[in-house]
Amino acid sequence: MSTDTDPVVELRDGAVVLGGRPVVRGVDLTVRAGEFVTLLGPNGSGKSTLVRALTGLRPLERGSLQLFGTPMGSFRDWHRLGYVPQRAGAASGVPVSVREVVASGRLTRRRVLSLPSRADRAAVTEALEVVGLADRAKDSVATLSGGQQQRVLIARALAGGPDLFFLDEPTAGVDLPNQQALADALGTLSRSGSTIVLVTHELGPLAPLVDRTVVLRDGRLVYDGPPLDLTDAHGHHHHDLDAGRHDHHPDIVAPWDREDRRP
Ligand SMILES: Nc1ncnc2c1ncn2[C@@H]1O[C@H](COP(=O)(O)OP(=O)(O)OP(=O)(O)O)[C@@H](O)[C@H]1O
């Protein structure tokens, strides 16, 4: 973990209200360059909302946010951010190739109405290689599995050359080989110095990559520290990280969910 580098995300007292209800409440979060942070918490605890707020997609009701040291209101370097939303299929119904989807990730880099440059094409090819889909470039996205489509979206985010990635449950509903391919791609990114903020219910093959864990509960940050060993003394895995399999079934017994948890 790098603690001596500049913060790339600095949220102070962040609050988001949706439908009149506080969903993110008084969150302080600093992410430094090169960190790999996982954001955990039960269903509905506000993880996706927090990530959307950090990308500027959800306005803050209260608090302040800086990205790369610039207040959100004046931030313009959008090409530095990559965002892979939750449960997003890459297939649109319109026949579109894997390469075309990934190439759309270069649009923040290109001048309006200009043709793709050699650098654009090279970035797309490289992004496809990182996620292990170079051999599927010409195929229609619709012919890919859900896990492969998720990797296409990661390649799209990658193609823009961002150095800060937000990924919202990229492994949900993805089989083990695809999870491993995702972990390989994120490991490559992380080693190249990218900062990664990842929402997940289950780390699986991603676990070795994680520097730091942040846990939300009821919109509040209840843990921020080293990755948690969620296996108890009896070798049982705490149940809530499997909650993704039982959507909206908050059967919680994890450390941050005990009565004595700190606020
Ligand atoms: N557009 C919206 N309007 C009103 N409430 C919303 C909206 N979007 C989300 N919520 C509510 O905000 C709360 C937090 O949702 P969010 O999706 O951020 O949680 P999450 O931790 O990512 O959950 P999950 O693990 O199920 O994806 C939930 O109670 C949800 O119902």
Side-chain angles (χ1 to χ4, degrees), residues 6 39 41 49-50 103 107 122 127 130 132 150 188 190 209 222 228 243:
D6 292 337
L39 187 49
T49 306
L50 175 60
L107 294 177
V130 169
Q150 194 70 6
T188 303
S190 185
L209 301 172
V222 293
L228 295 161

Side-chain angles (χ1 to χ4, degrees), residues 161-206:
D163 41 15
L164 170 59
F165 280 89
F166 295 97
L167 299 107
D168 197 346
E169 296 200 39
T171 53
V174 171
D175 63 17
L176 200 58
N178 271 295
Q179 285 187 33
Q180 189 58 59
L182 266 171
D184 293 346
L186 294 181
T188 303
L189 276 179
S190 185
R191 280 189 298 279
S192 71
S194 295
T195 309
I196 297 173
V197 178
L198 173 95
V199 176
T200 190
H201 277 287
E202 227 178 323
L203 283 168
L206 296 167

